[in-house]
Amino acid sequence: MSSPSRYQPSRRDLIRSGAVLGAGVGVGAVAGPAEAAAWEPVRDRGEKPMVDVPFEGFDKVRVGLIGLGNRGGGQDVRFGAVSTVTAVCDLRPAQVERTIGRIMAQGFQDTPPAGYSDGEEDYLNLVKRDDIDLVYIATPWEWHYPQAKAAMEHGKHVAIELPISPHLHEIWDLVRTSERTRKHCMLLENVNYFRPELQLFNMVSAGLFGDVQHASGGYVHDLRWPYLFGGAYYPEHWRRRWQTRMNALHYPMHGLGPVSAAMGINRGDRFEEIVAVSSPPKALALFRSEDPRVGPDHSSWDDRPYISGDRHSAFVTTASGRFIRVEHDVNSPHPYTRETTLTGTRGSIELDNARVYLESLGHTNHTWRTGSSYSSILSQHDHWLWPALERLAEQYGGHGGGDFVAIFRLIQLMRLGMTPDIDVYDSAAWCSVVPLSHESMKTKHLRPVKIPDFTRGHWKKARPTFDRPRPDDPWLEGR
């Protein structure tokens, strides 16, 4: 797909994405970047909160997949195991045929998915189908917004890989489109469903940390090879060139999402302000010039100068006076970590270092509990999803099975007519760190930027998320 530096919807674009369908929503509904940080629009007529709105309930969830590359090309069989895949879309016909073959080889459905690969706009033909309940989007970031918007405008729920959009006015428009169409728009944040992260959530809910005061989370992962320069993505350049467009924490949600959920963000507290800093952008240009695998004909030599710093740190403060430290670095030589920590009045935990200290459990000698002691404490707070799905998670895999658990849970919630674990407001808040960190770093001075209230007041009310007990589900019986 093409990679515009910023998706600026013209009227033609809005028509193509389904925004102008007689619903009275046009360019005036989209805010520009200058005023975006403080912009909290009043709900228009027809926009109603999606808080506590359940799915309709489905005998069998029918799914359309858009984007079958590095990410979507592995998620296909997981969706095929728990739903009916009725249509798939990618720019490359070979990827479409590959996915259809993989779905049919599973033996779970008799009719092969329809395939769409006729250019950049063929996804519009997929979202117009009347045999799709959920559209899954795993395309380059600049396409998440128009594809998700088009899907909702055509009556589909949407699950999107990270982020839902890198731009605040697009994030707001997805929130408002969800409220107007009454269709859920969700970030498919798989790390929220990893076993240790769900155990952490349960430990917080059980009060083991007392009153949670602060946390950290983010994404520190050396992506230089093969992801940014080695051709692991299609098009090869798409993720790397975002580093020429924004100085931002481009992808912090893997660590931010789980601690935000544990802290009750949008369920009694909310993000209020962010301040961000970065180091100079040096690592990518250095790698390009020194690594022998990057030859003189490599597409990276056509890149504009890299402007996004190698390491970003941000502090997000909340309405109740707490804070989250958010980290992002995909350019530097560094072992993978999400930097997930949490501290309360009764103890602390560091998931990546696998250590915990809890006065609530009698830890008073200033020594971390590690090894079997750490594992025993966490296992006592296992989330019901993992014992119920452990065998299937091992079979279908994806980040230790977490990818399968996330997809199963989404489909389960749709089948049973429940509310999402991660809703459009969670998705918007977590992803807003991307554009708002860019806004914060536009000057050399530490300048906090206000974070909008995407719920428009509904964050003050507690509501269920990962804390719900195991529901009666015939699908799980005998599996």
Side-chain angles (χ1 to χ4, degrees), residues 24-45:
V25 176
V27 177
V30 180
E35 69 275 14
W39 185 58
E40 292 184 9
V42 176
R43 283 191 173 95
D44 287 342
R45 183 179 302 174

Side-chain angles (χ1 to χ4, degrees), residues 350-366:
E350 297 180 357
L351 284 191
D352 293 80
N353 294 322
R355 58 189 190 179
V356 65
Y357 185 80
L358 294 167
E359 287 185 346
S360 59
L361 295 184
H363 303 170
T364 57
N365 61 351
H366 303 285

Side-chain angles (χ1 to χ4, degrees), residues 290-305:
E290 293 185 344
D291 194 285
R293 295 169 293 186
V294 183
D297 296 328
H298 195 274
S299 67
S300 62
W301 294 104
D302 296 327
D303 292 349
R304 295 177 179 178

